[in-house]
Amino acid sequence: MLTLLAKLLSALNSEDNPAQISWAVALAFWFSILPLFSGLKWILLLVVLLFRVNLSTFLVMTGLFSVLAYALDPLFNQFGLALLQSPSLGETIASLMALPVLDSLALNNTLALSSLLLGAVMFVPLFFASRWLVEKYREKFMESFEKLHLVKVIKSSHFFQIYQGLR
Amino acid sequence: MKAIRLSGVILLVVTLVILGLLAQLSINSWFKGEVEEKGGEVNGASVSLASTSLSLLKGGLALEDLEVANPDDLMRNRLQVNTLEFDVAWLPLLQGKLHVEQLNIQDLILDGKRDSAAKKIERSITSPGSWQWPEAVANEAKEVDVDAILTQLDIQSPKKFEAFSEGLDSKKTEWQTAIKQLPDEAKIAEYEQRYKDIRQREKKAKGLEKLSVLKDLKKLVREVKGEKEAISSLNKKLKNDIKQTRGEWSALQKQVGKDADLALSIASMSPEGMRHVASSLLGKEMAHWLELLVSVMSKVNPPATEQEQTKPSGPREGIDVLLPGMSKEPDFWVQQAALGGDFRWQALAGRLNGEAKNLTNALLPGQKTDVALSIDLHESEGKANLQSSIMHPDSHKKPLQLSFNMTDWPIQQWLVGGAEGVALTDIDAQVNLSAHSNYNQFAVEMDISLSNYKVATQSENSAKLINSLSKLLQQADQIEMKVTLTGDLTHQDVKLSSNLDDLLYNQVKGELKEKSKQVKQKVQAKIEQQVASVSKKIESQLAGMVQIEDSLSEAIQSLDKLK
């Protein structure tokens, strides 16, 4: 965990493209809120592995968003149930699910549907918001952040030393 | 900057390889352990698996050499399968649903010998609706339930007793009307007084006055004679009526005995009686297959009518909502199955071919569950075919249909009538079985024809009946039997008819003879209990009638005194 945090810090403080970190945040959010049985979750994992997305950020954010997803489970269910019980949307989803690939999305499941929609809606705003935050951080807070005691402790840790050595 | 990360591809491949290796090492042993442990608990004896192999890419699992031991004979296997391959759909598995896209079964051995004795395991899963046939049904049939017999009968005694009692009432009214026309006590007393007066006048009369007195006396005697004749005639009628009524009453009382006899004759023809025959004469093997059939039918339940859940079954699982045109996916679903290869059952060997579609634990609307199986024996012309189709109850009136036929099927030995009964050997069997069910009720019809058999009694000290059965079977060219099994989940009726019907009937009578006396007494006591109050009323009515007769006799005596 400490190593992951160190990697996240390193990514934030490095010259890495802020877009890679932002993609990781947006994808981590979508990935975390989707249930295991939604095919989209595994497609997102494939995307993360194949494309240049910051893996450390993705892993740390997945951990954080997963806790959030657990806590928001009842809300996801309520939202999904309301959508699925509306007659017009219900019919549309039923016809979508009749298609061979889309049935793996389990759209008739309250959690799978609500998390897919929420993830899709939040994907672009999260990408831009996190990119803006990374840029702002690098511009204004990076220097003072690095002076924090906690950051110094992490940077001096054995794992971080090894990680730096490997780079 | 390249968008695609080479390291990611490598990472993905490495991850998959590691996962595959881990799965091969852990899942195989885990799955083998699960199948052996859980399977053994369900089966009641060892279930063993030589090896398993998992293919992650195909999502397939192959089981080699699956052996399911027979808990009743630990040196034999109920079932042995050489190879069992199935391709599992992974996404439903993550929702706790086992959806097998393709199942292949290669080589099937039924009732094969084991190299070493299996281990007996305490069964942890029992079926509450399990139908223990023939023992339980036979025991039930042996216990003759008097009340059950009486409910099946149109018992005549109480009705006839009531009618008889009403008849007596109307007869009494008729008598009373007739008696009213007769002189009452006051009238008789008046006659006596007039008689005394005339006698007094006669003593005092002289000359012509005597003639007038005699004239009055003559008139009185004529009047009394008329009255006496009327009374005597009614008295005679009454005596006849009473005699006739007593006769009828005595005959009616015998009705209780007749009813008891009728009850017994019906008991011997009752389904319970016939079931008993079926259990003792058909043999345990046949009974076992019938039991299995009934048990399978009772376990196929239509899907629940409640279509939507309102609460998720667990965290991060959500709620599956049934949208228009969708049906609930079952937890267990084998979409396609194929069965092939060698077949062995005891001494029989042959080729096996079969396929099945949509084997599920809950029926899918619009999708049929089909099973087709055929066996061709190597060393004879023997063939067996099984066809079954199960549909959702909404789509068909008889959604469960099954047909099974065997032609020229060699049966090595069939024991009839238990361990000390008759053994039929080297039989050629023809069997036609058809079954259908609408889930609430089912009906199974089975025609069995046995020919070219040899007959031998199992014991020299066999009962007379068994010896005569043996002779009859030797004389008969073939045995033809028709078994009909109907009922629902709580009650089943077995009807058996064959060209040996008379013999079977005698067997039933023999079975019930020992108890017949006792049962008859019980039945009689029950009927007597039912007619007791009417019987008491009739007795008192009869006593009343005798009283009337007595009073008429008294009246006649009084009139006689006037002479």
Side-chain angles (χ1 to χ4, degrees):
Chain A
M1 190 63 201
L2 214 58
T3 320
L4 274 174
L5 276 174
K7 282 180 181 176
L8 177 66
L9 281 176
S10 176
L12 284 171
N13 298 345
S14 70
E15 297 290 306
D16 285 355
N17 187 348
Q20 286 180 13
I21 299 169
S22 313
W23 283 126
V25 173
L27 283 166
F29 177 75
W30 208 353
F31 177 82
S32 307
I33 60 172
L34 282 165
L36 277 173
F37 51 85
S38 170
L40 183 63
K41 189 174 183 97
W42 306 103
I43 294 169
L44 290 179
L45 186 65
L46 211 65
V47 168
V48 170
L49 288 170
L50 293 180
F51 291 91
R52 289 194 176 272
V53 175
N54 191 288
L55 275 177
S56 314
T57 311
F58 177 79
L59 290 173
V60 171
M61 297 317 279
T62 296
L64 292 174
F65 288 137
S66 294
V67 176
L68 187 75
Y70 245 90
L72 296 178
D73 213 39
L75 284 176
F76 277 119
N77 278 323
Q78 272 181 12
F79 177 52
L81 198 61
L83 290 174
L84 286 165
Q85 282 176 342
S86 85
S88 55
L89 199 63
E91 275 178 28
T92 314
I93 292 169
S95 54
L96 281 175
M97 281 199 73
L99 299 170
V101 182
L102 292 182
D103 69 335
S104 66
L105 298 179
L107 292 176
N108 67 319
N109 184 281
T110 51
L111 195 59
L113 178 70
S114 56
S115 55
L116 183 142
L117 290 179
L118 192 75
V121 169
M122 294 296 288
F123 190 75
V124 177
L126 259 177
F127 169 77
F128 285 111
S130 52
R131 197 171 72 169
W132 181 81
L133 279 173
V134 172
E135 283 168 359
K136 283 286 163 214
Y137 166 80
R138 284 182 181 170
E139 254 177 57
K140 294 186 176 174
F141 304 106
M142 196 167 75
E143 274 181 36
S144 46
F145 189 78
E146 286 206 319
K147 285 173 192 166
L148 285 174
H149 180 65
L150 180 73
V151 176
K152 282 179 182 168
V153 168
I154 291 172
K155 281 195 154 185
S156 62
S157 72
H158 180 61
F159 291 108
F160 191 74
Q161 298 300 327
I162 293 170
Y163 172 70
Q164 288 290 80
L166 285 172
R167 287 189 80 191
Chain B
M1 190 183 74
K2 284 179 186 171
I4 292 183
R5 178 186 7 223
L6 185 65
S7 61
V9 179
I10 295 165
L11 189 67
L12 184 69
V13 173
V14 169
T15 310
L16 285 178
V17 169
I18 291 170
L19 277 177
L21 284 172
L22 278 175
Q24 285 288 353
L25 292 172
S26 60
I27 293 183
N28 284 348
S29 61
W30 170 80
F31 196 81
K32 186 174 176 322
E34 283 292 296
V35 168
E36 290 182 347
E37 189 188 334
K38 297 273 165 35
E41 283 173 10
V42 174
N43 181 48
S46 312
V47 171
S48 60
L49 201 55
S51 68
T52 63
S53 57
L54 181 79
S55 161
L56 270 181
L57 286 175
K58 280 169 66 187
L61 186 70
L63 311 181
E64 303 282 336
D65 240 343
L66 173 72
E67 287 187 38
V68 180
N70 185 348
D72 298 327
D73 182 355
L74 298 173
M75 281 308 292
R76 300 193 86 86
N77 283 325
R78 266 181 170 165
L79 181 86
Q80 197 175 331
V81 178
N82 204 353
T83 316
L84 206 143
E85 293 172 327
F86 43 102
D87 294 343
V88 182
W90 285 108
L91 284 175
L93 202 61
L94 295 171
Q95 268 186 303
K97 293 172 182 171
L98 182 62
H99 290 182
V100 178
E101 285 159 353
Q102 177 71 44
L103 171 75
N104 294 320
I105 299 170
Q106 191 67 29
D107 301 338
L108 183 72
I109 300 168
L110 298 174
D111 200 24
K113 268 189 182 172
R114 288 177 64 91
D115 297 333
S116 58
K119 205 175 127 195
K120 189 116 181 160
I121 297 168
E122 193 67 36
R123 283 178 86 157
S124 65
I125 297 170
T126 52
S127 162
S130 158
W131 189 46
Q132 297 291 321
W133 204 77
E135 285 89 353
V137 179
N139 289 338
E140 191 189 312
K142 281 176 188 167
E143 289 300 321
V144 182
D145 183 349
V146 173
D147 288 321
I149 293 171
L150 289 179
T151 53
Q152 288 173 27
L153 281 176
D154 181 18
I155 294 287
Q156 294 297 311
S157 309
K159 286 181 208 160
K160 284 191 176 174
F161 276 46
E162 283 289 347
F164 185 73
S165 174
E166 280 167 19
L168 286 185
D169 277 340
S170 61
K171 200 162 267 182
K172 196 178 170 184
T173 317
E174 186 192 316
W175 289 358
Q176 279 166 344
T177 317
I179 285 168
K180 273 183 189 166
Q181 311 295 323
L182 298 176
D184 56 5
E185 278 179 24
K187 186 81 183 172
I188 290 170
E190 188 198 317
Y191 282 133
E192 281 173 348
Q193 192 56 49
R194 274 174 66 194
Y195 180 73
K196 279 177 191 168
D197 290 348
I198 290 170
R199 282 291 183 196
Q200 290 285 328
R201 277 171 56 207
E202 192 193 1
K203 280 176 189 170
K204 291 174 189 171
K206 285 172 186 167
L208 284 171
E209 201 184 345
K210 265 198 173 182
L211 278 172
S212 162
V213 171
L214 280 172
K215 203 179 167 186
D216 287 346
L217 186 64
K218 215 174 178 178
K219 191 185 167 195
L220 178 66
V221 167
R222 218 174 20 243
E223 274 178 47
V224 167
K225 200 181 170 188
E227 298 282 20
K228 197 187 146 191
E229 272 172 9
I231 295 172
S232 296
S233 142
L234 184 63
N235 196 25
K236 202 176 169 186
K237 185 181 179 295
L238 249 158
K239 270 185 179 162
N240 279 338
D241 278 358
I242 289 172
K243 196 180 168 189
Q244 194 189 338
T245 308
R246 282 192 187 282
E248 282 172 5
W249 174 227
S250 165
L252 191 59
Q253 281 173 313
K254 285 179 186 158
Q255 181 66 38
V256 174
K258 278 186 192 169
D259 278 345
D261 283 338
L262 177 67
L264 274 183
S265 68
I266 286 182
S268 45
M269 298 290 281
S270 69
E272 284 83 5
M274 292 315 281
R275 265 196 290 198
H276 173 61
V277 175
S279 64
S280 49
L281 289 188
L282 267 183
K284 219 173 170 180
E285 189 75 5
M286 185 62 75
H288 166 75
W289 290 107
L290 277 173
E291 181 195 349
L292 194 70
L293 192 67
V294 171
S295 143
V296 167
M297 283 184 168
S298 63
K299 279 188 177 65
V300 182
N301 296 320
T305 47
E306 189 63 40
Q307 296 289 308
E308 284 180 2
Q309 285 176 277
T310 49
K311 282 181 183 172
S313 45
R316 301 298 294 152
E317 285 187 5
I319 305 161
D320 284 336
V321 177
L322 288 186
L323 299 170
M326 280 177 75
S327 56
K328 194 179 179 201
E329 287 200 334
D331 291 341
F332 175 76
W333 185 6
V334 177
Q335 288 162 10
Q336 293 276 348
L339 185 63
D342 290 333
F343 167 79
R344 268 189 282 149
W345 181 21
Q346 295 174 340
L348 302 177
R351 290 290 294 171
L352 179 72
N353 266 304
E355 54 181 26
K357 253 187 350 188
N358 296 322
L359 302 172
T360 59
N361 67 324
L363 297 173
L364 304 164
Q367 300 216 46
K368 221 164 43 159
T369 295
D370 282 327
V371 177
L373 194 69
S374 70
I375 299 166
D376 289 295
L377 296 181
H378 288 320
E379 289 175 10
S380 71
E381 298 289 305
K383 281 183 200 317
N385 282 295
L386 170 79
Q387 297 273 349
S388 86
S389 80
I390 307 172
M391 278 169 275
H392 193 276
D394 293 349
S395 32
H396 207 275
K397 276 184 186 169
K398 289 174 184 172
L400 197 151
Q401 293 183 342
L402 182 142
S403 75
F404 173 71
N405 60 67
M406 285 196 328
T407 47
D408 300 324
W409 192 269
I411 297 175
Q412 217 176 7
Q413 191 182 58
W414 190 3
L415 292 177
V416 182
E420 299 212 336
V422 181
L424 299 179
T425 52
D426 301 327
I427 313 161
D428 271 354
Q430 324 285 330
V431 176
N432 273 306
L433 184 148
S434 69
H436 57 81
S437 166
N438 64 0
Y439 301 105
N440 297 320
Q441 289 188 316
F442 62 83
V444 181
E445 276 185 21
M446 183 160 65
D447 290 308
I448 305 168
S449 171
L450 308 177
S451 54
N452 298 331
Y453 49 80
K454 289 172 192 148
V455 185
T457 43
Q458 294 288 91
S459 159
E460 285 179 7
N461 303 321
S462 293
K464 256 186 182 175
L465 177 76
I466 296 296
N467 286 327
S468 54
L469 173 67
S470 166
K471 276 181 197 161
L472 189 98
L473 291 172
Q474 277 165 344
Q475 284 163 11
D477 283 343
Q478 59 179 30
I479 304 170
E480 281 175 5
M481 274 189 277
K482 189 177 181 76
V483 184
T484 314
L485 184 69
T486 50
D488 53 34
L489 299 186
T490 53
H491 182 258
Q492 296 89 28
D493 275 344
V494 179
K495 280 183 189 160
L496 180 85
S497 62
S498 79
N499 56 348
L500 311 173
D501 268 356
D502 288 343
L503 197 88
L504 295 176
Y505 178 68
N506 287 334
Q507 167 75 357
V508 178
K509 271 175 80 177
E511 290 285 345
L512 290 171
K513 202 175 173 183
E514 283 173 31
K515 289 189 172 181
S516 64
K517 212 173 170 182
Q518 196 187 342
V519 172
K520 192 175 173 182
Q521 280 171 355
K522 278 188 193 171
V523 172
Q524 207 156 341
K526 280 268 172 191
I527 300 170
E528 274 168 2
Q529 200 183 326
Q530 287 182 21
V531 298
S533 62
V534 191
S535 198
K536 209 172 171 182
K537 190 181 166 192
I538 291 170
E539 291 289 355
S540 79
Q541 282 171 320
L542 281 172
M545 287 164 92
V546 173
Q547 269 181 3
I548 294 172
E549 190 216 335
D550 289 347
S551 68
L552 285 180
S553 298
E554 270 175 35
I556 291 167
Q557 276 173 13
S558 302
L559 291 174
D560 276 345
K561 281 178 197 165
L562 299 182
K563 281 176 185 172

